Amino acid sequence: MRGKVCIVTGASSGIGKETAVALAQAGATVAIVCRTREKGERALAEIRERSHHPGLSLFVADLSSQRAVRQVAAELDAAFPRVDVLLNNAGLIMGERVLTEDDLETTFAVNHLAYFLLARLLLPKLAASAPARIVNVASESHRLGTLRFDDLMGTRGYSGWTAYAQSKLANIVFTYELARRLKGTGVTANCLHPGTIASNFGNAGPAIIRALMRLGRPFLRSSASGAATSIYLASSDEVQGVSGRYFTGRRPRRSSRASYDPAAATRLWEVSEELTASSPR
Ligand SMILES: NC(=O)c1ccc[n+]([C@@H]2O[C@H](COP(=O)([O-])OP(=O)(O)OC[C@H]3O[C@@H](n4cnc5c(N)ncnc54)[C@H](OP(=O)(O)O)[C@@H]3O)[C@@H](O)[C@H]2O)c1
């Protein structure tokens, strides 16, 4: 990975941090995008120590804010003459319905709209650096999700789990549509399920998820093991040119039937464009 520039979002902990360590160990220049400077600096120091690699930098952005996503995209664009890999990894599950500064439901904003907007803003640079890769961290929980186009923001009967499953289905539907649109550009788009992993995941989630993650912790796989498929998709020659696939355990796998619905893909793309339009709503 020497000479390659990789961007990893949500690298302050868990799977994102382990992914950043491995890419740095492989010699890539790695930019981590973290919600707060304090956690980001801590993660950066750890990644530096574990990788013995000087090519690391921190960018701070609360990805629930579209202003912050635009700002960090501009900073990344200015900082690097090329971008080889964009790894959209930041994600969360919420215990209650909270609106972002853009008046959007937080889970949908962070888990889907930030992936969508950051990918689109960095696309010119990725295309100019081709062959390049976009990797979106999704989840098997997408199988329980529905894209509720009549209520994407969960105004009726909010459930943190339903919002999360919807957002992870959106990751996959978006990845497939992005791959279709990127055909012939030399930029690939794939998504993955990392496994069920003992990380900070669920800390802001519903009480039941927090309890399950705590009780299940001794039986769950490590964040390092959860990073394996992300690292594979970001760096392996085996997937050079492979696009529009969903992977688990470093293998392509069929995602849910709903995720292949082309009408839903077009509609999600259009709604996401509207919801991330730069003019103030
Ligand atoms: N753990 C699992 O079992 C599992 C299973 C399937 C899929 N996943 C997916 O894997 C990805 C990584 O999760 P993880 O397990 O590593 O959990 P984690 O340890 O909680 O890491 C999530 C990362 O996302 C960041 N993040 C959350 N909201 C953000 C925001 N508004 N702006 C910027 N960054 C934000 C967190 O930053 P802070 O440190 O500031 O909170 C953290 O760095 C997520 O997309 C998740 O949906 C996880």
Side-chain angles (χ1 to χ4, degrees):
M1 294 296 282
R2 234 159 265 287
K4 306 227 175 207
V5 176
C6 303
I7 297 167
V8 183
T9 72
S12 61
S13 70
I15 296 162
K17 186 166 73 185
E18 294 303 322
T19 304
V21 168
L23 293 173
Q25 282 171 340
T29 295
V30 179
I32 60 170
V33 178
C34 298
R35 181 178 2 205
T36 64
R37 181 157 302 281
E38 192 198 346
K39 276 193 185 177
E41 295 283 10
R42 230 182 298 144
L44 195 68
E46 183 186 329
I47 298 164
R48 192 168 282 138
E49 191 180 310
R50 289 172 59 195
S51 66
H52 307 289
H53 187 52
L56 296 166
S57 43
L58 167 66
F59 293 79
V60 177
D62 178 343
L63 299 170
S64 70
S65 154
Q66 292 183 13
R67 186 191 38 76
V69 175
R70 286 178 197 286
Q71 167 85 28
V72 81
E75 288 170 10
L76 289 161
D77 189 45
F80 300 107
R82 58 181 301 115
V83 174
D84 300 276
V85 177
L86 168 62
L87 223 151
N88 280 314
N89 163 83
L92 80 181
I93 181 167
M94 300 288 290
E96 50 192 55
R97 185 170 182 273
V98 175
L99 294 183
T100 67
E101 68 179 35
D102 303 301
D103 255 347
L104 300 166
E105 191 281 317
T106 300
T107 319
F108 195 75
V110 174
N111 293 11
H112 168 61
L113 291 174
Y115 282 27
F116 178 85
L117 185 56
L118 193 56
R120 296 199 68 212
L121 292 169
L122 291 175
L123 212 45
K125 184 137 281 177
L126 285 154
S129 315
R133 305 177 183 194
I134 297 171
V135 179
N136 295 323
V137 180
S139 168
E140 271 294 276
S141 63
H142 81 274
R143 295 186 192 279
L144 304 169
T146 310
L147 292 172
R148 293 175 167 183
F149 285 108
D150 62 340
D151 189 24
L152 285 171
M153 298 305 137
T155 59
R156 297 195 300 270
Y158 182 80
S159 133
W161 181 253
T162 303
Y164 180 72
Q166 170 177 260
S167 73
K168 291 290 138 180
L169 174 59
N171 292 160
I172 298 178
V173 172
F174 162 55
T175 303
Y176 293 164
E177 181 63 18
L178 182 62
R180 278 190 282 276
R181 290 175 186 243
L182 289 177
K183 230 173 226 157
T185 64
V187 184
T188 59
N190 291 295
C191 55
L192 68 116
H193 168 63
T196 306
I197 302 302
S199 61
N200 287 342
F201 182 77
N203 281 1
I208 179 76
I209 301 285
R210 289 203 307 273
L212 285 174
M213 292 302 280
R214 199 174 54 246
L215 290 172
R217 210 170 178 85
F219 310 102
L220 299 183
R221 292 163 57 213
S222 68
S223 292
S225 129
T229 305
S230 291
I231 297 160
Y232 175 72
L233 290 175
S235 60
S236 173
D237 288 341
E238 279 175 33
V239 284
Q240 183 65 48
V242 173
S243 195
R245 307 297 295 269
Y246 171 68
F247 287 75
T248 72
R250 314 210 302 182
R251 291 222 169 77
R253 184 153 174 224
R254 271 193 82 71
S255 49
S256 69
R257 185 193 288 240
S259 68
Y260 294 103
D261 178 351
T266 306
R267 194 162 175 196
L268 180 66
W269 190 279
E270 287 169 1
V271 173
S272 304
E273 269 183 339
E274 279 165 29
L275 292 174
T276 56
S278 54
S279 52
R281 276 189 305 281

